[in-house]
Amino acid sequence: MISIRNVSKTFASSSGSVEALKEVSLEIGEGEIYGVIGLSGAGKSTLARCINLLERPDSGSVNVDGMEMTSLSPRELRGQRRGIGMIFQQFNLMPSRTVWGNIAYPLKKAGLGREETDKRVRELLRLVGLEDKINAYPRQLSGGQKQRVAIARAIAVRPKVLICDEATSALDPATTLSILALLKQINREMGITMVVITHEMAVVKEICDRVAVMEHGRIVEEGSALSVFASPRSEVAASFVESASGAARINRLLDEKSPAVRIEKGQVLAKLTYMGTGANEALISQASRRFGVDCNIIFGNMEVVQDTTIGVLVLAFSGEKESITAAAEFLSRNNVIVEVIDR
Amino acid sequence: MNILYQFFPNTMDKTTEFFESILQTLQMTAAAGAVSFFLGLLFGLLLTLTGKGGLKENRPVYYVADKLINICRSIPFVIMLTALLPVTRAIMGSAIGTRGAIIPLIVGSTPFFARQVEAALAEIDRGLVEAALSMGDSPFDIVFKVYLREGVPAIARGVTITLISLVGLTAMAGAVAGGGLGSFAIMWGHQRNQTDCTYAAMIAILLIVFAIQWVGNLIIKKTTH
Ligand SMILES: Nc1ncnc2c1ncn2[C@@H]1O[C@H](COP(=O)(O)OP(=O)(O)OP(=O)(O)O)[C@@H](O)[C@H]1O
Ligand SMILES: [Mg+2]
């Protein structure tokens, strides 16, 4: 649906020039939720703005839905932009217009009559759950409500693509989750391809299918959200994963040999890592029963990424040495990664 | 009534002339204001669109418009009045009276208002323009649907300030070309030493200014959401 090839963009300013994008390439499939994560200044917004050509790349190609964006005439470009919705961190609602007026804004261009417009606006407000705010002005809305209106406005003309530039960065965690849930729902129901720009791994974890990690204008890592989350290859990616996962804290405590992980003689301390779709917990009690070992859970952390559980458990096994070894082998056979930390 | 005769004996002697002067001041303000409003909006938009980061960024055009406005603004109005005499005579057919004052008033207040408009439009969140662009709006759409709509409160503030300064300019223009409260005050209050005429003119001007301010505030309040 979106194909970006070797896109570069340099901003010249009085204090020198900034290479915001360096030969960036990526492919986003139809109906996919594609995350772009990176620290401030990495070039994420510039990349997002290159998709609808709010920023014109210095070189490279941007293809959206089979159209080469960089070679369109201004008029064609405007037409193509109507097929690419965009929402922003600061919502960018028109303060002089009511919620109705804001959502109706793009519909006028689409040639809808007054009645059809009204019908569509109400439909959209029902979708985003703000029917009672139809006559409110943006100033009277909370951040989450404003973003819901902005989403309604962005999808009003049924675009094929929705670009979300830090759409939840100005919102509190609970509101963030509700907005992400709404975006996911829209993606499922309408099949809109989404590009989600963020600096929070939690956002990627919540809704993205695939993710690109950016640093200094380059994509340093790319892959399914699950694989990046489970085994990040780049340093930036690893630090993002760490920020969004409790497992990182467990590793730190183990490294520090915290008193919390001290074991008694005869016990074996092990870290179990598994990925799967649910029934894993039963493995532990099976191992315990079959081999006659006791398992004392010291830490546990579970993340669900793309409907897959990534679990980390730190256990203290106690029992016969051979039994513990057998239990560990049993777990390994069942796709659990067992690392003995201390014995 | 008696009190009026007591405090404004000379003014009360020539009420017709006094009211005529008020009317002339209002006429000059309205006529020059209306033309300045359109020209100022035009120039303000031109500056905004062609300026740095504008939708139609164009350095030469911006440079010329910017300098032209600065030059016009730096010429003292009294000098402008006399300098424009030939132009006024050519366009209006007369360089005296209310008609003779209007051209200089337009030239005097348009650049001021253009700057007010430029400042008002600069206040509009750049994000709104981005949102409009992302929805496929053309620069033309954005002028009418974003700038001239979201900018209304700030432009109304600019109009109010411009009209008030215009009232001041009409007094000066009237004094030179003849007509209006300025000329009334000078002719009677100053030259014939009938001081109460000066005060009457001053009070009338103050009332006009208050009225403009009041209407302006009302509009700003009604359009700010
Ligand atoms: N219009 C511009 N003019 C000059 N420099 C710019 C412009 N836009 C972006 N930059 C520079 O390009 C680099 C990338 O900016 P960009 O906004 O894409 O980063 P970002 O990853 O979105 O960061 P953030 O998380 O802070 O939004 C930055 O160094 C920024 O200063
Ligand atoms: Mg950004």
Side-chain angles (χ1 to χ4, degrees):
Chain A
M1 181 54 100
I2 302 172
S3 159
I4 293 173
R5 296 240 172 82
N6 303 323
V7 162
S8 296
K9 176 83 191 177
T10 301
F11 291 107
S13 70
S14 47
S15 54
S17 65
V18 183
E19 273 186 89
L21 295 176
K22 300 169 195 163
E23 299 277 316
V24 171
S25 298
L26 54 83
E27 295 283 333
I28 303 176
E30 188 164 354
E32 207 173 15
I33 303 187
Y34 195 95
V36 177
I37 191 168
L39 295 171
S40 187
K44 310 179 293 291
S45 295
T46 308
L47 178 63
R49 293 157 53 79
C50 279
I51 297 175
N52 58 4
L53 240 65
L54 282 183
E55 210 75 75
R56 187 171 280 276
D58 296 333
S59 63
S61 104
V62 178
N63 195 297
V64 180
D65 196 20
M67 288 270 208
E68 178 53 45
M69 301 292 285
T70 52
S71 59
L72 298 176
S73 71
R75 193 194 179 83
E76 290 168 327
L77 177 60
R78 290 199 290 272
Q80 189 70 356
R81 275 180 183 156
R82 274 169 226 140
I84 307 174
M86 190 166 192
I87 56 174
F88 310 82
Q89 181 173 357
Q90 296 308 328
F91 323 119
N92 295 345
L93 297 175
M94 308 281 173
S96 80
R97 293 165 207 260
T98 61
V99 166
W100 191 96
N102 269 284
I103 303 177
Y105 189 105
L107 293 170
K108 228 170 272 170
K109 260 265 143 75
L112 264 67
R114 180 88 189 176
E115 222 160 90
E116 287 167 297
T117 302
D118 189 60
K119 193 164 150 261
R120 179 79 179 131
V121 170
R122 285 171 195 279
E123 199 175 292
L124 286 157
L125 279 175
R126 209 170 310 127
L127 176 70
V128 301
L130 282 179
E131 287 151 293
D132 54 328
K133 297 291 183 193
I134 190 161
N135 291 316
Y137 284 95
R139 272 263 303 272
Q140 302 162 323
L141 302 177
S142 70
Q145 291 170 334
K146 282 183 204 166
Q147 198 59 292
R148 282 169 185 273
V149 175
I151 290 171
R153 176 177 72 174
I155 63 169
V157 294
R158 305 177 205 277
K160 293 199 167 142
V161 174
L162 180 65
I163 302 170
C164 314
D165 190 359
E166 306 267 12
T168 58
S169 298
L171 306 174
D172 63 62
T175 313
T176 294
L177 285 181
S178 77
I179 293 292
L180 294 178
L182 176 63
L183 289 175
K184 195 157 191 168
Q185 181 197 345
I186 290 167
N187 166 261
R188 292 250 167 90
E189 287 175 7
M190 304 173 62
I192 298 184
T193 307
M194 292 188 182
V195 182
V196 176
I197 308 290
T198 183
H199 60 261
E200 291 171 296
M201 201 62 191
V203 170
V204 174
K205 186 171 94 181
E206 204 58 36
I207 62 168
C208 293
D209 300 315
R210 279 201 299 149
V211 61
V213 183
M214 284 193 78
E215 192 179 24
H216 306 310
R218 281 207 174 83
I219 292 181
V220 291
E221 183 165 350
E222 209 253 5
S224 78
L226 183 62
S227 69
V228 172
F229 210 87
S231 47
R233 279 171 284 119
S234 64
E235 215 168 286
V236 228
S239 78
F240 275 120
V241 169
E242 180 162 334
S243 69
S245 157
R249 188 169 152 71
I250 296 179
N251 291 336
R252 209 158 45 240
L253 287 170
L254 292 175
D255 284 348
E256 288 165 2
K257 301 216 182 315
S258 143
V261 297
R262 208 160 293 151
I263 49 167
E264 284 160 32
K265 203 168 163 55
Q267 282 189 319
V268 173
L269 187 71
K271 186 169 98 171
L272 276 53
T273 309
Y274 59 87
M275 242 199 287
T277 38
N280 294 285
E281 278 92 330
L283 279 177
I284 313 269
S285 54
Q286 271 183 42
S288 169
R289 251 182 286 128
R290 274 173 60 174
F291 304 97
V293 293
D294 284 329
C295 307
N296 177 18
I297 300 179
I298 296 178
F299 296 125
N301 182 70
M302 252 174 260
E303 309 285 345
V304 182
V305 182
Q306 288 183 286
D307 300 323
T308 302
T309 310
I310 304 174
V312 175
L313 285 176
V314 174
L315 299 179
F317 290 98
S318 39
E320 296 290 322
K321 210 174 164 191
E322 294 75 35
S323 314
I324 295 175
T325 313
E329 274 167 9
F330 166 76
L331 290 168
S332 297
R333 271 199 309 278
N334 286 282
N335 296 323
V336 177
I337 301 164
V338 182
E339 293 167 76
V340 174
I341 294 161
D342 200 0
R343 61 172 83 222
Chain B
M1 263 333 212
N2 275 339
I3 295 180
L4 284 180
Y5 275 106
Q6 193 182 333
F7 285 104
F8 299 100
N10 298 310
T11 312
M12 292 308 278
D13 274 352
K14 35 188 166 301
T15 42
T16 335
E17 200 175 324
F18 179 61
F19 285 118
E20 178 85 348
S21 303
I22 293 179
L23 199 66
Q24 285 170 343
T25 292
L26 291 176
Q27 277 171 346
M28 286 189 281
T29 309
V35 178
S36 292
F37 177 76
F38 285 107
L39 290 179
L41 267 187
L42 221 61
F43 270 96
L45 281 168
L46 184 75
L47 289 171
T48 306
L49 293 172
T50 59
K52 199 164 155 45
L55 286 171
K56 290 271 165 199
E57 192 168 336
N58 186 324
R59 287 183 148 230
V61 173
Y62 180 84
Y63 185 86
V64 171
D66 185 58
K67 288 287 168 289
L68 189 70
I69 285 173
N70 279 350
I71 290 168
C72 285
R73 284 194 66 186
S74 54
I75 300 172
F77 187 64
V78 224
I79 296 177
M80 178 97 77
L81 274 172
T82 23
L84 283 173
L85 275 177
V87 183
T88 302
R89 211 171 277 131
I91 298 176
M92 305 296 285
S94 154
I96 53 159
T98 329
R99 285 170 67 86
I102 285 178
I103 298 275
L105 285 173
I106 291 169
V107 178
S109 71
T110 296
F112 182 74
F113 183 54
R115 286 288 183 220
Q116 299 283 333
V117 173
E118 189 188 16
L121 299 184
E123 265 175 48
I124 294 176
D125 190 348
R126 171 85 202 161
L128 300 184
V129 176
E130 296 251 295
L133 283 174
S134 79
M135 288 186 277
D137 274 1
S138 65
F140 186 81
D141 293 326
I142 290 171
V143 164
F144 287 98
K145 286 156 77 183
V146 180
Y147 284 144
L148 293 186
R149 168 135 185 186
E150 301 304 329
V152 167
I155 292 174
R157 198 181 337 116
V159 171
T160 309
I161 297 171
T162 308
L163 281 180
I164 289 171
S165 87
L166 190 56
V167 171
L169 295 187
T170 63
M172 226 189 291
V176 174
L181 286 162
S183 122
F184 182 85
I186 293 213
M187 196 177 346
W188 301 104
H190 183 65
Q191 288 167 357
R192 309 228 161 82
N193 227 11
Q194 300 178 354
T195 351
D196 67 287
C197 289
T198 310
Y199 290 119
M202 194 177 81
I203 290 168
I205 295 234
L206 277 178
L207 289 177
I208 293 172
V209 167
F210 284 149
I212 293 170
Q213 188 75 62
W214 184 75
V215 173
N217 286 348
L218 201 71
I219 293 172
I220 293 167
K221 209 168 139 200
K222 278 260 181 295
T223 53
T224 307
H225 296 290

